[in-house]
Amino acid sequence: MDKILIIGACGQIGGELTLALRKKYGNDIVIASDIREEAEILKGTGPYVVLDANDATATRALVKKENIKTIYLLAALLSATGEKNPKLCWDLNMGSLRQVLDLGVEEKIKIFWPSSIAVFGKTTPRDNTPQKTIIEPTTMYGITKYAGEMLCEYYNKKFGLDVRSVRYPGLISWKSEPGGGTTDYAVEIFYEAIKKGEYNCFLSENTYLPMMYMDDAIRATIDIMEAPRENIKTSMGYNLSAISFSPKEIAEEIKKHILSLTISYAPDHRQAIADSWPASIDDSTARLDWGWKPEFDLSKMTEVMLVNLKEKLK
Ligand code: SER
């Protein structure tokens, strides 16, 4: 079988996606790479290479040497970190995408590149945001994701490149922690609930955002890549939806298991980012085109998170 390369394999999605792909296709088929040292979660599970996502020469050499025919490009700076360093956010998010798309055309590689709910902005309808709508992002992260989607669509139409994308909502997992995002509170709250029984949230209590349990996100990623190309009607990001909740609602759900949990609110600079994003997403196009369907709702996710995190934090 042709080999698969994961770029950004030590991030929140990359680690779990690498493990899922290795389980499905075999350990040696999936080459994990990141600019960082190998993450604990990956150690001993298969090949690992240190690779700068912006280094076109090194990426090309690796692709040729290993005969790689699929790339999952996950390296990126997220929304909150991106606002602190907008130039780096543009350079990393767009530079890595551009070089991988060019390589994809040269070497006939199938590519996955994630987009995000961050493409949407204040002028977008907030509830049940449609697949096609007004898209005017206000964060540098959102701008790179929207520009990236258009670039993917361009490379598909112009060069026939098979590149596929989804707009992930906030992702929640007990195995890997997020870094630098606005939706990170929905993971932090579980850690703090177990460790301290209290959580001070950086978003206000009624801030609704679209979220998803990681297992659903990984399944969506593999499913869209395995779908026949004729079912993939766009190379722009497909809307994906699973759960929509506010900090107050997730706290209430956790309180069903940890009765003593208290939550306070101290909104910071991330509130403005959250306020510019949708509260819920209409994903009917992904459901229709390639059969997407989430499995985890708020109560099921909360249960799985608490059971596993309690064990992990022992
Ligand atoms: N989880 C991301 C963020 O908060 C959204 O794609 O930046």
Side-chain angles (χ1 to χ4, degrees):
M1 190 185 165
D2 291 329
K3 288 195 179 163
I4 298 169
L5 173 64
I6 316 284
I7 301 177
C10 295
Q12 190 200 10
I13 303 168
E16 292 194 42
L17 181 65
T18 301
L19 296 181
L21 291 170
R22 283 183 175 160
K23 196 168 167 202
K24 197 170 172 70
Y25 302 120
N27 289 353
D28 294 338
I29 297 294
V30 183
I31 299 169
S33 76
D34 203 295
I35 197 164
R36 295 175 258 182
E37 222 181 86
E38 187 174 21
E40 278 307 315
I41 189 178
L42 295 175
K43 283 189 178 155
T45 68
Y48 186 80
V49 179
V50 173
L51 180 73
D52 175 351
N54 265 348
D55 188 340
T57 312
T59 311
R60 176 175 288 105
L62 183 64
V63 159
K64 282 182 173 290
K65 179 173 159 244
E66 298 287 351
N67 194 27
I68 283 157
K69 288 291 166 208
T70 305
I71 295 180
Y72 291 78
L73 171 59
L74 301 167
L77 231 59
L78 296 192
S79 59
T81 321
E83 287 315 284
K84 291 205 177 116
N85 200 339
K87 189 180 174 304
L88 179 64
C89 182
W90 176 269
D91 288 348
L92 172 61
N93 296 8
M94 298 309 294
S96 59
L97 177 60
R98 184 72 202 275
Q99 71 105 347
V100 166
L101 291 176
D102 283 334
L103 189 57
V105 173
E106 266 174 47
E107 300 292 328
K108 297 203 181 351
I109 294 168
K110 184 172 171 183
I111 293 163
F112 176 84
W113 178 79
S115 185
S116 158
I117 53 162
V119 295
F120 301 118
K122 273 187 170 306
T123 48
T124 303
R126 285 207 80 214
D127 296 310
N128 262 325
T129 302
Q131 175 72 35
K132 278 186 192 279
T133 183
I134 300 166
I135 299 191
E136 296 177 329
T138 50
T139 61
M140 181 54 91
Y141 175 63
I143 291 168
T144 64
K145 287 298 174 188
Y146 193 43
E149 283 194 20
M150 293 200 295
L151 206 57
C152 290
E153 182 70 1
Y154 179 82
Y155 272 69
N156 174 259
K157 292 283 171 299
K158 177 104 180 163
F159 306 114
L161 182 69
D162 188 357
V163 48
R164 307 173 183 206
S165 181
V166 296
R167 293 172 181 153
Y168 288 127
L171 299 180
I172 298 165
S173 163
W174 59 269
K175 288 182 198 151
S176 45
E177 288 173 57
T182 302
T183 55
D184 296 10
Y185 92 84
V187 179
E188 280 175 18
I189 191 170
F190 284 100
Y191 280 83
E192 298 301 292
I194 293 169
K195 287 200 276 197
K196 299 189 193 138
E198 57 182 50
Y199 181 58
N200 187 22
C201 185
F202 59 75
L203 296 181
S204 64
E205 60 182 330
N206 290 320
T207 309
Y208 280 82
L209 285 170
M211 302 278 183
M212 181 180 285
Y213 185 55
M214 185 63 86
D215 286 18
D216 273 340
I218 299 295
R219 197 166 42 79
T221 309
I222 297 176
D223 282 358
I224 192 176
M225 285 298 272
E226 287 195 335
R229 179 70 218 193
E230 60 268 25
N231 293 6
I232 308 300
K233 307 279 196 290
T234 178
S235 282
M236 300 196 58
Y238 273 93
N239 276 8
L240 287 188
S241 167
I243 324 170
S244 171
F245 56 78
S246 62
K248 190 176 169 192
E249 275 183 9
I250 193 169
E252 291 302 325
E253 193 60 39
I254 297 173
K255 270 190 209 172
K256 291 181 187 165
H257 306 266
I258 302 175
L259 304 176
S260 58
L261 173 66
T262 58
I263 179 162
S264 53
Y265 302 93
D268 66 12
H269 59 281
R270 289 167 281 193
Q271 185 66 46
I273 300 177
D275 288 342
S276 76
W277 289 352
S280 61
I281 299 284
D282 174 355
D283 61 0
S284 48
T285 310
R287 289 176 187 246
L288 190 73
D289 286 1
W290 46 276
W292 156 248
K293 197 166 176 270
E295 281 175 6
F296 286 80
D297 60 13
L298 181 56
S299 70
K300 191 171 165 190
M301 177 192 78
T302 303
E303 239 178 87
V304 178
M305 283 293 289
L306 288 173
V307 168
N308 287 290
L309 263 188
K310 275 181 190 159
E311 196 57 39
K312 185 177 167 181
L313 296 174
K314 256 184 190 167

PDB file of all heavy atoms in Angstrom, residues 12-13 77-81 115-119 139 141 145 167-171 178-185 209-211 273 277, ligand 1:
ATOM      1  N   GLN A  12      -3.080  18.464  18.547  1.00  0.00           N
ATOM      2  CA  GLN A  12      -4.283  17.891  19.159  1.00  0.00           C
ATOM      3  C   GLN A  12      -4.939  16.839  18.259  1.00  0.00           C
ATOM      4  O   GLN A  12      -5.340  15.778  18.730  1.00  0.00           O
ATOM      5  CB  GLN A  12      -5.296  19.011  19.464  1.00  0.00           C
ATOM      6  CG  GLN A  12      -6.457  18.527  20.318  1.00  0.00           C
ATOM      7  CD  GLN A  12      -7.683  19.448  20.234  1.00  0.00           C
ATOM      8  OE1 GLN A  12      -7.752  20.344  19.404  1.00  0.00           O
ATOM      9  NE2 GLN A  12      -8.631  19.207  21.125  1.00  0.00           N
ATOM     10  N   ILE A  13      -5.035  17.124  16.973  1.00  0.00           N
ATOM     11  CA  ILE A  13      -5.664  16.166  16.057  1.00  0.00           C
ATOM     12  C   ILE A  13      -4.638  15.143  15.563  1.00  0.00           C
ATOM     13  O   ILE A  13      -4.926  13.955  15.465  1.00  0.00           O
ATOM     14  CB  ILE A  13      -6.276  16.892  14.829  1.00  0.00           C
ATOM     15  CG1 ILE A  13      -7.289  17.948  15.270  1.00  0.00           C
ATOM     16  CG2 ILE A  13      -6.932  15.890  13.879  1.00  0.00           C
ATOM     17  CD1 ILE A  13      -7.726  18.891  14.163  1.00  0.00           C
ATOM     18  N   LEU A  77      -1.185  27.406  13.343  1.00  0.00           N
ATOM     19  CA  LEU A  77      -1.355  28.221  14.545  1.00  0.00           C
ATOM     20  C   LEU A  77      -2.851  28.477  14.667  1.00  0.00           C
ATOM     21  O   LEU A  77      -3.491  28.861  13.691  1.00  0.00           O
ATOM     22  CB  LEU A  77      -0.613  29.552  14.349  1.00  0.00           C
ATOM     23  CG  LEU A  77       0.342  29.996  15.445  1.00  0.00           C
ATOM     24  CD1 LEU A  77       1.428  28.946  15.656  1.00  0.00           C
ATOM     25  CD2 LEU A  77       0.995  31.329  15.087  1.00  0.00           C
ATOM     26  N   LEU A  78      -3.446  28.269  15.845  1.00  0.00           N
ATOM     27  CA  LEU A  78      -4.894  28.417  16.011  1.00  0.00           C
ATOM     28  C   LEU A  78      -5.299  29.865  16.317  1.00  0.00           C
ATOM     29  O   LEU A  78      -4.469  30.778  16.296  1.00  0.00           O
ATOM     30  CB  LEU A  78      -5.388  27.465  17.091  1.00  0.00           C
ATOM     31  CG  LEU A  78      -5.236  25.969  16.798  1.00  0.00           C
ATOM     32  CD1 LEU A  78      -6.011  25.140  17.802  1.00  0.00           C
ATOM     33  CD2 LEU A  78      -5.691  25.606  15.400  1.00  0.00           C
ATOM     34  N   SER A  79      -6.582  30.038  16.632  1.00  0.00           N
ATOM     35  CA  SER A  79      -7.151  31.398  16.665  1.00  0.00           C
ATOM     36  C   SER A  79      -6.528  32.333  17.695  1.00  0.00           C
ATOM     37  O   SER A  79      -6.164  33.465  17.364  1.00  0.00           O
ATOM     38  CB  SER A  79      -8.657  31.308  16.903  1.00  0.00           C
ATOM     39  OG  SER A  79      -8.928  30.642  18.116  1.00  0.00           O
ATOM     40  N   ALA A  80      -6.407  31.882  18.942  1.00  0.00           N
ATOM     41  CA  ALA A  80      -5.923  32.795  19.986  1.00  0.00           C
ATOM     42  C   ALA A  80      -4.429  33.080  19.809  1.00  0.00           C
ATOM     43  O   ALA A  80      -3.994  34.237  19.860  1.00  0.00           O
ATOM     44  CB  ALA A  80      -6.197  32.205  21.372  1.00  0.00           C
ATOM     45  N   THR A  81      -3.645  32.044  19.553  1.00  0.00           N
ATOM     46  CA  THR A  81      -2.206  32.238  19.309  1.00  0.00           C
ATOM     47  C   THR A  81      -2.001  33.069  18.046  1.00  0.00           C
ATOM     48  O   THR A  81      -1.089  33.899  17.976  1.00  0.00           O
ATOM     49  CB  THR A  81      -1.500  30.876  19.113  1.00  0.00           C
ATOM     50  OG1 THR A  81      -2.060  29.951  20.025  1.00  0.00           O
ATOM     51  CG2 THR A  81      -0.022  30.978  19.343  1.00  0.00           C
ATOM     52  N   SER A 115     -10.077  22.861   7.590  1.00  0.00           N
ATOM     53  CA  SER A 115     -10.533  24.226   7.799  1.00  0.00           C
ATOM     54  C   SER A 115     -11.250  24.268   9.153  1.00  0.00           C
ATOM     55  O   SER A 115     -11.109  23.340   9.958  1.00  0.00           O
ATOM     56  CB  SER A 115     -11.448  24.665   6.658  1.00  0.00           C
ATOM     57  OG  SER A 115     -11.774  26.032   6.825  1.00  0.00           O
ATOM     58  N   SER A 116     -11.978  25.325   9.406  1.00  0.00           N
ATOM     59  CA  SER A 116     -12.501  25.546  10.758  1.00  0.00           C
ATOM     60  C   SER A 116     -13.747  26.421  10.724  1.00  0.00           C
ATOM     61  O   SER A 116     -13.948  27.191   9.770  1.00  0.00           O
ATOM     62  CB  SER A 116     -11.399  26.239  11.574  1.00  0.00           C
ATOM     63  OG  SER A 116     -11.934  26.925  12.670  1.00  0.00           O
ATOM     64  N   ILE A 117     -14.536  26.352  11.805  1.00  0.00           N
ATOM     65  CA  ILE A 117     -15.652  27.296  11.981  1.00  0.00           C
ATOM     66  C   ILE A 117     -15.151  28.732  12.023  1.00  0.00           C
ATOM     67  O   ILE A 117     -15.929  29.662  11.910  1.00  0.00           O
ATOM     68  CB  ILE A 117     -16.437  27.013  13.278  1.00  0.00           C
ATOM     69  CG1 ILE A 117     -15.475  26.966  14.479  1.00  0.00           C
ATOM     70  CG2 ILE A 117     -17.243  25.730  13.157  1.00  0.00           C
ATOM     71  CD1 ILE A 117     -16.168  27.130  15.833  1.00  0.00           C
ATOM     72  N   ALA A 118     -13.829  28.899  12.197  1.00  0.00           N
ATOM     73  CA  ALA A 118     -13.243  30.248  12.262  1.00  0.00           C
ATOM     74  C   ALA A 118     -13.313  30.990  10.933  1.00  0.00           C
ATOM     75  O   ALA A 118     -13.038  32.184  10.874  1.00  0.00           O
ATOM     76  CB  ALA A 118     -11.793  30.167  12.727  1.00  0.00           C
ATOM     77  N   VAL A 119     -13.698  30.294   9.848  1.00  0.00           N
ATOM     78  CA  VAL A 119     -13.855  31.022   8.574  1.00  0.00           C
ATOM     79  C   VAL A 119     -15.020  32.011   8.676  1.00  0.00           C
ATOM     80  O   VAL A 119     -15.045  33.020   7.984  1.00  0.00           O
ATOM     81  CB  VAL A 119     -14.115  30.100   7.343  1.00  0.00           C
ATOM     82  CG1 VAL A 119     -12.916  29.231   7.063  1.00  0.00           C
ATOM     83  CG2 VAL A 119     -15.377  29.267   7.507  1.00  0.00           C
ATOM     84  N   THR A 139     -10.467  37.022  12.374  1.00  0.00           N
ATOM     85  CA  THR A 139      -9.170  36.653  12.973  1.00  0.00           C
ATOM     86  C   THR A 139      -8.200  36.252  11.855  1.00  0.00           C
ATOM     87  O   THR A 139      -8.628  35.812  10.785  1.00  0.00           O
ATOM     88  CB  THR A 139      -9.308  35.438  13.905  1.00  0.00           C
ATOM     89  OG1 THR A 139      -9.783  34.321  13.133  1.00  0.00           O
ATOM     90  CG2 THR A 139     -10.254  35.712  15.057  1.00  0.00           C
ATOM     91  N   TYR A 141      -6.346  33.680  11.925  1.00  0.00           N
ATOM     92  CA  TYR A 141      -6.550  32.240  11.753  1.00  0.00           C
ATOM     93  C   TYR A 141      -7.698  31.977  10.764  1.00  0.00           C
ATOM     94  O   TYR A 141      -7.568  31.192   9.824  1.00  0.00           O
ATOM     95  CB  TYR A 141      -6.850  31.632  13.123  1.00  0.00           C
ATOM     96  CG  TYR A 141      -7.214  30.168  13.124  1.00  0.00           C
ATOM     97  CD1 TYR A 141      -6.312  29.203  12.704  1.00  0.00           C
ATOM     98  CD2 TYR A 141      -8.474  29.752  13.573  1.00  0.00           C
ATOM     99  CE1 TYR A 141      -6.650  27.855  12.734  1.00  0.00           C
ATOM    100  CE2 TYR A 141      -8.818  28.413  13.606  1.00  0.00           C
ATOM    101  CZ  TYR A 141      -7.904  27.464  13.182  1.00  0.00           C
ATOM    102  OH  TYR A 141      -8.236  26.146  13.214  1.00  0.00           O
ATOM    103  N   LYS A 145      -7.711  30.259   7.043  1.00  0.00           N
ATOM    104  CA  LYS A 145      -8.539  29.081   6.734  1.00  0.00           C
ATOM    105  C   LYS A 145      -9.411  29.338   5.504  1.00  0.00           C
ATOM    106  O   LYS A 145      -9.597  28.460   4.662  1.00  0.00           O
ATOM    107  CB  LYS A 145      -9.387  28.691   7.946  1.00  0.00           C
ATOM    108  CG  LYS A 145      -8.576  28.041   9.072  1.00  0.00           C
ATOM    109  CD  LYS A 145      -7.928  26.747   8.620  1.00  0.00           C
ATOM    110  CE  LYS A 145      -7.004  26.117   9.619  1.00  0.00           C
ATOM    111  NZ  LYS A 145      -6.246  24.986   9.111  1.00  0.00           N
ATOM    112  N   ARG A 167     -14.645  21.784   7.931  1.00  0.00           N
ATOM    113  CA  ARG A 167     -14.560  22.895   8.884  1.00  0.00           C
ATOM    114  C   ARG A 167     -14.796  22.330  10.284  1.00  0.00           C
ATOM    115  O   ARG A 167     -15.946  22.188  10.710  1.00  0.00           O
ATOM    116  CB  ARG A 167     -15.616  23.956   8.553  1.00  0.00           C
ATOM    117  CG  ARG A 167     -15.347  24.647   7.235  1.00  0.00           C
ATOM    118  CD  ARG A 167     -16.497  25.559   6.831  1.00  0.00           C
ATOM    119  NE  ARG A 167     -16.208  26.192   5.536  1.00  0.00           N
ATOM    120  CZ  ARG A 167     -17.142  26.596   4.673  1.00  0.00           C
ATOM    121  NH1 ARG A 167     -18.434  26.438   4.957  1.00  0.00           N
ATOM    122  NH2 ARG A 167     -16.790  27.160   3.538  1.00  0.00           N
ATOM    123  N   TYR A 168     -13.700  21.995  10.975  1.00  0.00           N
ATOM    124  CA  TYR A 168     -13.856  21.434  12.320  1.00  0.00           C
ATOM    125  C   TYR A 168     -14.460  22.465  13.264  1.00  0.00           C
ATOM    126  O   TYR A 168     -14.059  23.633  13.247  1.00  0.00           O
ATOM    127  CB  TYR A 168     -12.495  21.067  12.910  1.00  0.00           C
ATOM    128  CG  TYR A 168     -11.792  19.861  12.343  1.00  0.00           C
ATOM    129  CD1 TYR A 168     -10.487  19.973  11.891  1.00  0.00           C
ATOM    130  CD2 TYR A 168     -12.392  18.605  12.309  1.00  0.00           C
ATOM    131  CE1 TYR A 168      -9.790  18.886  11.398  1.00  0.00           C
ATOM    132  CE2 TYR A 168     -11.698  17.504  11.815  1.00  0.00           C
ATOM    133  CZ  TYR A 168     -10.403  17.648  11.365  1.00  0.00           C
ATOM    134  OH  TYR A 168      -9.716  16.575  10.885  1.00  0.00           O
ATOM    135  N   PRO A 169     -15.340  22.010  14.144  1.00  0.00           N
ATOM    136  CA  PRO A 169     -15.733  22.849  15.281  1.00  0.00           C
ATOM    137  C   PRO A 169     -14.684  22.688  16.392  1.00  0.00           C
ATOM    138  O   PRO A 169     -13.621  22.099  16.149  1.00  0.00           O
ATOM    139  CB  PRO A 169     -17.079  22.258  15.695  1.00  0.00           C
ATOM    140  CG  PRO A 169     -17.117  20.885  15.152  1.00  0.00           C
ATOM    141  CD  PRO A 169     -16.036  20.737  14.102  1.00  0.00           C
ATOM    142  N   GLY A 170     -14.933  23.193  17.605  1.00  0.00           N
ATOM    143  CA  GLY A 170     -14.019  22.968  18.723  1.00  0.00           C
ATOM    144  C   GLY A 170     -13.938  21.481  19.015  1.00  0.00           C
ATOM    145  O   GLY A 170     -14.959  20.801  19.080  1.00  0.00           O
ATOM    146  N   LEU A 171     -12.726  20.953  19.195  1.00  0.00           N
ATOM    147  CA  LEU A 171     -12.562  19.505  19.376  1.00  0.00           C
ATOM    148  C   LEU A 171     -12.187  19.168  20.816  1.00  0.00           C
ATOM    149  O   LEU A 171     -11.331  19.825  21.420  1.00  0.00           O
ATOM    150  CB  LEU A 171     -11.512  18.974  18.399  1.00  0.00           C
ATOM    151  CG  LEU A 171     -11.861  19.174  16.925  1.00  0.00           C
ATOM    152  CD1 LEU A 171     -10.764  18.612  16.022  1.00  0.00           C
ATOM    153  CD2 LEU A 171     -13.211  18.560  16.563  1.00  0.00           C
ATOM    154  N   PRO A 178      -5.608  20.602  23.534  1.00  0.00           N
ATOM    155  CA  PRO A 178      -5.524  21.604  22.475  1.00  0.00           C
ATOM    156  C   PRO A 178      -4.482  22.650  22.834  1.00  0.00           C
ATOM    157  O   PRO A 178      -4.002  22.684  23.970  1.00  0.00           O
ATOM    158  CB  PRO A 178      -6.914  22.229  22.472  1.00  0.00           C
ATOM    159  CG  PRO A 178      -7.398  22.071  23.875  1.00  0.00           C
ATOM    160  CD  PRO A 178      -6.764  20.828  24.411  1.00  0.00           C
ATOM    161  N   GLY A 179      -4.147  23.513  21.911  1.00  0.00           N
ATOM    162  CA  GLY A 179      -3.202  24.582  22.210  1.00  0.00           C
ATOM    163  C   GLY A 179      -3.513  25.827  21.418  1.00  0.00           C
ATOM    164  O   GLY A 179      -3.520  25.804  20.195  1.00  0.00           O
ATOM    165  N   GLY A 180      -3.824  26.905  22.115  1.00  0.00           N
ATOM    166  CA  GLY A 180      -3.945  28.209  21.465  1.00  0.00           C
ATOM    167  C   GLY A 180      -5.263  28.478  20.775  1.00  0.00           C
ATOM    168  O   GLY A 180      -5.358  29.382  19.944  1.00  0.00           O
ATOM    169  N   GLY A 181      -6.306  27.723  21.116  1.00  0.00           N
ATOM    170  CA  GLY A 181      -7.610  27.947  20.482  1.00  0.00           C
ATOM    171  C   GLY A 181      -8.586  28.648  21.418  1.00  0.00           C
ATOM    172  O   GLY A 181      -8.347  28.753  22.629  1.00  0.00           O
ATOM    173  N   THR A 182      -9.706  29.082  20.836  1.00  0.00           N
ATOM    174  CA  THR A 182     -10.750  29.767  21.604  1.00  0.00           C
ATOM    175  C   THR A 182     -11.713  28.753  22.220  1.00  0.00           C
ATOM    176  O   THR A 182     -12.369  29.028  23.222  1.00  0.00           O
ATOM    177  CB  THR A 182     -11.499  30.739  20.656  1.00  0.00           C
ATOM    178  OG1 THR A 182     -10.528  31.632  20.113  1.00  0.00           O
ATOM    179  CG2 THR A 182     -12.572  31.519  21.359  1.00  0.00           C
ATOM    180  N   THR A 183     -11.791  27.578  21.622  1.00  0.00           N
ATOM    181  CA  THR A 183     -12.690  26.543  22.133  1.00  0.00           C
ATOM    182  C   THR A 183     -12.013  25.666  23.198  1.00  0.00           C
ATOM    183  O   THR A 183     -12.637  24.745  23.721  1.00  0.00           O
ATOM    184  CB  THR A 183     -13.178  25.649  20.973  1.00  0.00           C
ATOM    185  OG1 THR A 183     -12.025  25.126  20.287  1.00  0.00           O
ATOM    186  CG2 THR A 183     -14.026  26.429  19.983  1.00  0.00           C
ATOM    187  N   ASP A 184     -10.754  25.974  23.536  1.00  0.00           N
ATOM    188  CA  ASP A 184      -9.985  25.138  24.476  1.00  0.00           C
ATOM    189  C   ASP A 184     -10.633  25.017  25.865  1.00  0.00           C
ATOM    190  O   ASP A 184     -10.360  24.072  26.597  1.00  0.00           O
ATOM    191  CB  ASP A 184      -8.565  25.699  24.685  1.00  0.00           C
ATOM    192  CG  ASP A 184      -7.719  25.683  23.421  1.00  0.00           C
ATOM    193  OD1 ASP A 184      -8.273  25.414  22.346  1.00  0.00           O
ATOM    194  OD2 ASP A 184      -6.520  25.959  23.515  1.00  0.00           O
ATOM    195  N   TYR A 185     -11.483  25.999  26.228  1.00  0.00           N
ATOM    196  CA  TYR A 185     -12.100  25.957  27.554  1.00  0.00           C
ATOM    197  C   TYR A 185     -12.870  24.652  27.771  1.00  0.00           C
ATOM    198  O   TYR A 185     -12.938  24.131  28.894  1.00  0.00           O
ATOM    199  CB  TYR A 185     -13.031  27.175  27.765  1.00  0.00           C
ATOM    200  CG  TYR A 185     -14.466  26.906  27.373  1.00  0.00           C
ATOM    201  CD1 TYR A 185     -15.346  26.297  28.278  1.00  0.00           C
ATOM    202  CD2 TYR A 185     -14.945  27.191  26.098  1.00  0.00           C
ATOM    203  CE1 TYR A 185     -16.653  26.001  27.907  1.00  0.00           C
ATOM    204  CE2 TYR A 185     -16.229  26.891  25.726  1.00  0.00           C
ATOM    205  CZ  TYR A 185     -17.088  26.302  26.643  1.00  0.00           C
ATOM    206  OH  TYR A 185     -18.369  25.980  26.271  1.00  0.00           O
ATOM    207  N   LEU A 209     -21.024  27.681  21.267  1.00  0.00           N
ATOM    208  CA  LEU A 209     -20.103  27.413  20.157  1.00  0.00           C
ATOM    209  C   LEU A 209     -20.306  25.971  19.671  1.00  0.00           C
ATOM    210  O   LEU A 209     -20.665  25.090  20.468  1.00  0.00           O
ATOM    211  CB  LEU A 209     -18.651  27.581  20.605  1.00  0.00           C
ATOM    212  CG  LEU A 209     -18.131  29.013  20.786  1.00  0.00           C
ATOM    213  CD1 LEU A 209     -16.764  29.002  21.461  1.00  0.00           C
ATOM    214  CD2 LEU A 209     -18.055  29.745  19.452  1.00  0.00           C
ATOM    215  N   PRO A 210     -20.036  25.714  18.392  1.00  0.00           N
ATOM    216  CA  PRO A 210     -20.114  24.344  17.880  1.00  0.00           C
ATOM    217  C   PRO A 210     -18.906  23.532  18.365  1.00  0.00           C
ATOM    218  O   PRO A 210     -17.773  24.018  18.301  1.00  0.00           O
ATOM    219  CB  PRO A 210     -20.038  24.523  16.357  1.00  0.00           C
ATOM    220  CG  PRO A 210     -20.096  25.996  16.089  1.00  0.00           C
ATOM    221  CD  PRO A 210     -19.665  26.681  17.331  1.00  0.00           C
ATOM    222  N   MET A 211     -19.163  22.329  18.836  1.00  0.00           N
ATOM    223  CA  MET A 211     -18.101  21.471  19.394  1.00  0.00           C
ATOM    224  C   MET A 211     -18.280  20.033  18.889  1.00  0.00           C
ATOM    225  O   MET A 211     -19.357  19.666  18.398  1.00  0.00           O
ATOM    226  CB  MET A 211     -18.187  21.444  20.922  1.00  0.00           C
ATOM    227  CG  MET A 211     -18.082  22.794  21.588  1.00  0.00           C
ATOM    228  SD  MET A 211     -16.355  23.290  21.762  1.00  0.00           S
ATOM    229  CE  MET A 211     -16.585  24.843  22.648  1.00  0.00           C
ATOM    230  N   ILE A 273     -13.392  36.765  19.907  1.00  0.00           N
ATOM    231  CA  ILE A 273     -13.246  35.762  18.841  1.00  0.00           C
ATOM    232  C   ILE A 273     -14.476  34.848  18.842  1.00  0.00           C
ATOM    233  O   ILE A 273     -15.106  34.629  17.806  1.00  0.00           O
ATOM    234  CB  ILE A 273     -11.953  34.924  19.036  1.00  0.00           C
ATOM    235  CG1 ILE A 273     -10.710  35.831  19.018  1.00  0.00           C
ATOM    236  CG2 ILE A 273     -11.849  33.839  17.958  1.00  0.00           C
ATOM    237  CD1 ILE A 273      -9.389  35.109  19.279  1.00  0.00           C
ATOM    238  N   TRP A 277     -18.008  33.944  15.953  1.00  0.00           N
ATOM    239  CA  TRP A 277     -18.223  32.618  15.360  1.00  0.00           C
ATOM    240  C   TRP A 277     -19.665  32.151  15.515  1.00  0.00           C
ATOM    241  O   TRP A 277     -20.388  32.626  16.393  1.00  0.00           O
ATOM    242  CB  TRP A 277     -17.286  31.581  16.030  1.00  0.00           C
ATOM    243  CG  TRP A 277     -15.838  31.750  15.675  1.00  0.00           C
ATOM    244  CD1 TRP A 277     -15.306  32.592  14.733  1.00  0.00           C
ATOM    245  CD2 TRP A 277     -14.731  31.069  16.275  1.00  0.00           C
ATOM    246  NE1 TRP A 277     -13.944  32.459  14.710  1.00  0.00           N
ATOM    247  CE2 TRP A 277     -13.558  31.535  15.640  1.00  0.00           C
ATOM    248  CE3 TRP A 277     -14.612  30.095  17.266  1.00  0.00           C
ATOM    249  CZ2 TRP A 277     -12.289  31.078  15.975  1.00  0.00           C
ATOM    250  CZ3 TRP A 277     -13.347  29.630  17.602  1.00  0.00           C
ATOM    251  CH2 TRP A 277     -12.204  30.108  16.966  1.00  0.00           C
TER     252      TRP A 277
HETATM  253  N1  SER B   1     -10.585  25.132  17.860  1.00  0.00           N
HETATM  254  C1  SER B   1     -10.152  26.191  17.006  1.00  0.00           C
HETATM  255  C2  SER B   1      -9.845  27.423  17.757  1.00  0.00           C
HETATM  256  O1  SER B   1     -10.456  27.635  18.780  1.00  0.00           O
HETATM  257  C3  SER B   1     -11.214  26.491  15.979  1.00  0.00           C
HETATM  258  O2  SER B   1     -10.899  25.840  14.804  1.00  0.00           O
HETATM  259  O3  SER B   1      -9.033  28.180  17.333  1.00  0.00           O
END
